[in-house]
Amino acid sequence: MARAPRYDILFEPVKIGPVTAKNRFFQVPHCNGMGRTFPSSMAAMRGVKAEGGWAVVSTEQIDIHPTSDITGATEGRLWSDQDIPYLARMCDAVHEHGALALIEPTHNGKFAPNNYSREVPLFASHMPVVGNAPVQARAMDKQDIRDYRRWHLNAVKRAKKAGFDIVCCYAAHNLSLAGQFMLPRYNKRADEYGGSLENRIRLFREIIEEAKDAVGDTMGVVARFAVDELRGAEGMEFEKEGREIIEMLAEVPDLWDVNVAEWENDSVTSRFADEGFQEPFISFVKQVTTKPVVAVGRYTSPDRMVSLIKNGVMDMIGAARPSIADPFLPKKIEEGRIEDIRECIGCNICVGWDHLQSPMRCTQNPTKGEEWRKGWHPERIAPKTADESVLIIGAGPAGLEAALAAGRRGYDVTLAEASEDLGGRVARESRLPGLSAWGRVRDYRVYQIQQMANVEVFLGSRLEAAQAMEFGADHIAVATGARWRKDGYGRSHQFPIPGLDGAGVFTPDDVMDGAAISGPVVVYDDDYYYMGGVVAEKLRADGLDVTLVTPDSVVSSWMHQTLEQHRVQAQLMSLGVELVTSHTLAGFGPDGVTVQCAYSGKEKVVSAASMLMVTSRVPVDSLYYDLVNAGGSAAVSRIGDCHGPATIAAAVYEGHRFARELGTTPDEIPYRREITELSSDFALP
Ligand code: ADP
Ligand code: SF4
């Protein structure tokens, strides 16, 4: 299918200094939990994006010296020539598809506790390192600054040797020295690197100019800069110094990559910001420089992209998350296949697993992180190995993805769903406050399945074992999900809690089913992800007095991983939800809910007519066991929450895996591993 001519503008080349990007799609640097720890996985993941049409494919941040050591985080590293080969592998993967490879060398300043290197951290001024480690960074003297400039330059030269086409000088997210030096709250220096704005940007200017002098004839040099920190006068503001800095350095780099800091402001989830939320902050930049400008905003709509270019907001469409959810987004626009785009839902599960130092995963794209180790391609899947049929029971994220992927393999697929709706938990949860974008998990799959003649869908079909067997399918996947439990069992409680077996006790499933809940209500969150906060918000919006009790010291504590915890807590407080942290549940009775301090054991009573339990879930797996025990000829599997209650991302992955593995015998360790190489010069001391 040919693309509509209005999208042609997105496929115009853009010059970045001496190199030319083939179109306007720019995958900005993003962490991925692979980096130097899983370098083949990282390189293959980047290569797939190049194949998907991104004209520029960037690394994650690459730390450049032992004084910038953030061991524990799984990022890139370029300390010496030893690090060149793995980065060269990424460049090769990117070049294979005609894209440009960009590197982001970084000195983390006070973000680097130097746990591995044991060096004293360096910073603009004396200051504790980020977090709560008992470590301080010391103020850099003139020699330190000269050293830093040399390390940066050495990294740039090594990047060229590795094969990179573009180097990005990094002053965004507060993660790099050059950016940290700009901020008066950090920079207390009295020399030519402190005081006036000109002095505070000296380091940034120097590293850009030095990179241009060294490699500017063959490599593009990008400035990546956060024009605002969303913290008012205490930080960078786009109408003040943010603008002045771009004015002062306007023509120095070959391209400006602009955003807002810190990372949680740049990568806001869909619950807290819409597509394009950064535009008010960055749209001035193009008026100030003649150099091309790239910016991000979780853009997935090609019409929006066209208008951004036409209206002079940016020259290239920057993306991290949309390129993760759909590495083939540019190709699909180029080929006129807009409805095939798998749109990012803005959940930040990708960020979460990067934080957990594990290969990133994605709710929408189950192949993310599996490109090399499992050989999973986001757009290609092996054809079926036999003329067989598949029955999938339950059309939540696991069942929908299983049906889609098995259908793509060419199997005859039947998808049976008990309710009148497709989407399972995704359909139900996307009706809760702030989660509407999650419905994209259903929408993408339902549309794709509708195009397939070999996938048949039955709604209103609650199957029991005998009926399921009547289909005569060769394979049955039970994807019947899980239900929240009422009895309080979970992380903090493994014995019955008095009062939970009576009336007035509810679960999130009851809320989603529209149960009548009377206030005041206590939401007990022993789950720590989004559900506790979201149902509290929903009940508050329904006009009830709500108290959220949680054993942890903050609400929704796992959401630190998705960069949302502080926003959830602030939102609940602003809505008037009472928060009781560090308390477990001791009982529920006519007087209300008895809670117990997790430290002192002291009890108190919170007035409540109803109790909403957000603790853990029980798989709905009786059908699976009925089928297994019936001993029919079909191979029976369980997938998704029915197999193990977890994230939506896990359910989609399980559905995909089921379909990939049909007709195969997976190894006991079902993927390739990257084993640390033993040093050849090992000797005992
Ligand atoms: P997952 O996250 O694993 O995909 P969900 O809970 O989202 O699980 O979806 C499970 C789906 O299975 C729900 O839509 C539910 O209506 C459906 N379901 C449960 N039991 C049956 C059954 N016996 N027959 C058909 N559908 C079922
Ligand atoms: Fe988008 Fe969520 Fe995938 Fe991240 S994990 S790319 S936020 S859909």
Side-chain angles (χ1 to χ4, degrees):
M1 202 192 297
R3 68 169 178 263
R6 68 178 183 282
Y7 300 137
D8 287 353
I9 193 171
L10 299 174
F11 296 92
E12 292 170 352
V14 179
K15 263 186 82 61
I16 306 172
V19 298
T20 301
K22 66 181 175 185
N23 62 36
R24 296 185 187 268
F25 293 92
F26 191 119
Q27 179 247 288
V28 296
H30 70 75
C31 309
N32 51 86
M34 294 178 253
R36 68 173 194 283
T37 315
F38 305 107
S40 302
S41 296
M42 180 276 291
M45 178 268 293
R46 301 292 188 201
V48 163
K49 296 206 201 200
E51 186 189 350
W54 299 87
V56 176
V57 176
S58 307
T59 61
E60 56 281 4
Q61 63 147 300
I62 306 286
D63 80 84
I64 59 172
H65 189 262
T67 53
S68 174
D69 158 36
I70 51 168
T71 297
T74 308
E75 304 294 337
R77 176 163 287 171
L78 187 46
W79 288 0
S80 68
D81 287 355
Q82 254 189 311
D83 299 303
I84 291 178
Y86 92 89
L87 290 166
R89 178 175 287 179
M90 172 194 145
C91 291
D92 291 346
V94 168
H95 290 156
E96 205 177 307
H97 300 286
L100 301 173
L102 177 150
I103 185 167
E104 183 180 66
T106 305
H107 192 297
N108 289 280
K110 82 180 181 81
F111 271 82
N114 298 337
N115 289 332
Y116 172 69
S117 70
R118 302 182 70 166
E119 297 292 343
V120 172
L122 299 175
F123 194 50
S125 314
H126 295 297
M127 197 159 288
V129 297
V130 168
N132 53 8
V135 180
Q136 278 203 201
R138 73 173 166 79
M140 293 165 79
D141 59 28
K142 290 290 182 48
Q143 186 55 46
D144 294 321
I145 289 180
R146 282 191 290 275
D147 288 344
Y148 160 69
R149 289 166 53 191
R150 191 180 68 255
W151 301 331
H152 191 271
L153 192 56
N154 285 343
V156 170
K157 291 175 183 167
R158 288 190 176 109
K160 179 168 171 164
K161 271 200 219 165
F164 284 97
D165 310 285
I166 304 173
V167 60
C168 170
C169 298
Y170 187 34
H173 304 120
N174 287 347
L175 283 175
S176 78
L177 269 181
Q180 294 158 355
F181 263 66
M182 294 175 185
L183 301 167
R185 74 176 185 279
Y186 292 153
N187 185 338
K188 309 293 180 192
R189 304 179 71 90
D191 62 7
E192 68 268 34
Y193 289 92
S196 69
L197 183 58
E198 193 173 348
N199 283 354
R200 283 182 278 120
I201 65 167
R202 189 177 305 282
L203 202 53
F204 192 37
R205 180 193 290 276
E206 284 172 345
I207 62 168
I208 300 170
E209 287 176 344
E210 286 161 0
K212 285 199 86 167
D213 285 348
V215 301
D217 54 336
T218 54
M219 290 175 77
V221 177
V222 167
R224 191 173 196 213
F225 170 56
V227 298
D228 205 297
E229 295 184 279
L230 312 190
R231 58 192 303 154
E234 199 201 37
M236 185 71 69
E237 291 177 286
F238 77 101
E239 287 161 312
K240 296 179 181 163
E241 291 196 340
R243 184 185 183 105
E244 283 174 56
I245 290 171
I246 301 223
E247 283 170 351
M248 291 160 84
L249 299 176
E251 304 302 313
V252 181
D254 297 319
L255 175 144
W256 283 96
D257 173 358
V258 286
N259 57 18
V260 295
E262 300 187 7
W263 190 13
E264 62 262 29
N265 291 331
D266 191 18
S267 291
V268 191
T269 56
S270 57
R271 186 169 163 190
F272 294 102
D274 290 331
E275 192 170 321
F277 62 93
Q278 300 200 24
E279 280 165 39
F281 300 96
I282 58 90
S283 53
F284 77 89
V285 178
K286 262 193 69 62
Q287 297 150 23
V288 175
T289 175
T290 67
K291 301 292 181 174
V293 173
V294 59
V296 295
R298 207 161 29 77
Y299 296 115
T300 54
S301 148
D303 289 300
R304 179 79 173 262
M305 295 174 190
V306 168
S307 84
L308 290 167
I309 309 287
K310 286 200 165 154
N311 294 333
V313 180
M314 57 188 76
D315 300 285
M316 298 187 79
I317 307 298
R321 291 173 294 174
S323 78
I324 294 165
D326 197 341
F328 274 60
L329 187 150
K331 264 262 148 68
K332 289 175 182 175
I333 301 173
E334 188 172 24
E335 294 171 357
R337 296 192 293 124
I338 311 289
E339 53 295 323
D340 290 340
I341 294 172
R342 204 169 36 240
E343 293 181 289
C344 168
I345 69 165
C347 62
N348 279 5
I349 280 291
C350 48
V351 176
W353 263 266
D354 171 65
H355 278 163
L356 296 169
Q357 297 114 45
S358 312
M360 159 214 283
R361 58 210 53 194
C362 169
T363 303
Q364 275 286 56
N365 176 5
T367 67
K368 183 53 57 184
E370 308 296 341
E371 296 89 345
W372 174 80
R373 69 175 190 169
K374 282 194 167 174
W376 287 3
H377 189 278
E379 300 299 312
R380 288 193 292 274
I381 191 162
K384 64 184 177 185
T385 49
D387 255 339
E388 289 177 337
S389 57
V390 183
L391 170 66
I392 296 160
I393 306 171
L400 284 174
E401 175 64 23
L404 170 60
R408 284 192 175 145
R409 292 193 63 189
Y411 287 95
D412 271 330
V413 178
T414 305
L415 176 61
E417 163 58 42
S419 73
E420 295 298 333
D421 284 330
L422 294 173
R425 65 179 287 192
V426 163
R428 288 152 62 80
E429 292 177 15
S430 64
R431 291 193 281 267
L432 293 170
L435 303 186
S436 61
W438 293 18
R440 290 173 168 185
V441 172
R442 169 203 54 210
D443 298 344
Y444 165 74
R445 289 169 177 82
V446 169
Y447 175 80
Q448 296 294 321
I449 286 170
Q450 282 167 349
Q451 313 308 307
M452 294 176 153
N454 58 328
V455 180
E456 204 170 355
V457 179
F458 293 97
L459 289 173
S461 305
R462 179 174 295 281
L463 299 189
E464 292 181 9
Q467 295 161 300
M469 288 165 75
E470 276 169 24
F471 278 84
D474 300 294
H475 304 270
I476 301 178
V478 182
T480 44
R483 300 287 291 178
W484 288 94
R485 56 198 298 168
K486 258 188 194 164
D487 57 11
Y489 280 44
R491 291 195 167 94
S492 304
H493 307 276
Q494 293 83 33
F495 293 103
I497 298 170
L500 293 187
D501 46 1
V505 183
F506 300 92
T507 71
D509 289 314
D510 297 321
V511 174
M512 291 185 276
D513 290 340
I517 299 175
S518 47
V521 55
V522 164
V523 175
Y524 183 61
D525 186 1
D526 195 21
D527 172 62
Y528 313 112
Y529 193 18
Y530 58 90
M531 188 55 85
V534 165
V535 289
E537 204 178 315
K538 154 100 177 87
L539 295 171
R540 187 76 192 116
D542 290 346
L544 303 185
D545 283 336
V546 181
T547 303
L548 189 146
V549 178
T550 184
D552 219 331
S553 54
V554 294
V555 303
S556 304
S557 57
W558 194 80
M559 298 185 88
H560 284 298
Q561 311 297 358
T562 58
L563 306 171
E564 292 171 287
Q565 190 282 325
H566 62 299
R567 287 200 165 90
V568 173
Q569 186 137 355
Q571 172 124 322
L572 293 175
M573 288 167 121
S574 74
L575 292 172
V577 174
E578 293 294 324
L579 305 181
V580 177
T581 55
S582 304
H583 277 74
T584 56
L585 182 61
F588 177 47
D591 297 337
V593 176
T594 306
V595 296
Q596 184 176 46
C597 174
Y599 300 101
S600 67
K602 213 171 144 190
E603 292 191 349
K604 66 179 179 184
V605 174
V606 181
S607 149
S610 311
M611 189 66 255
L612 203 131
M613 303 303 297
V614 188
T615 60
S616 64
R617 287 178 289 158
V618 186
V620 178
D621 56 6
S622 55
L623 176 59
Y624 168 78
Y625 283 108
D626 288 349
L627 284 165
V628 169
N629 293 334
S633 59
V636 182
S637 311
R638 57 188 152 171
I639 56 174
D641 289 303
C642 163
H643 191 194
T647 58
I648 297 167
V652 171
Y653 168 81
E654 285 253 304
H656 193 82
R657 178 178 180 179
F658 163 78
R660 287 260 180 189
E661 291 181 353
L662 280 172
T664 70
T665 312
D667 291 340
E668 207 168 330
I669 297 172
Y671 37 73
R672 287 191 280 183
R673 291 196 297 154
E674 311 208 42
I675 312 271
T676 306
E677 222 176 280
L678 283 176
S679 175
S680 56
D681 57 359
F682 175 77
L684 289 173

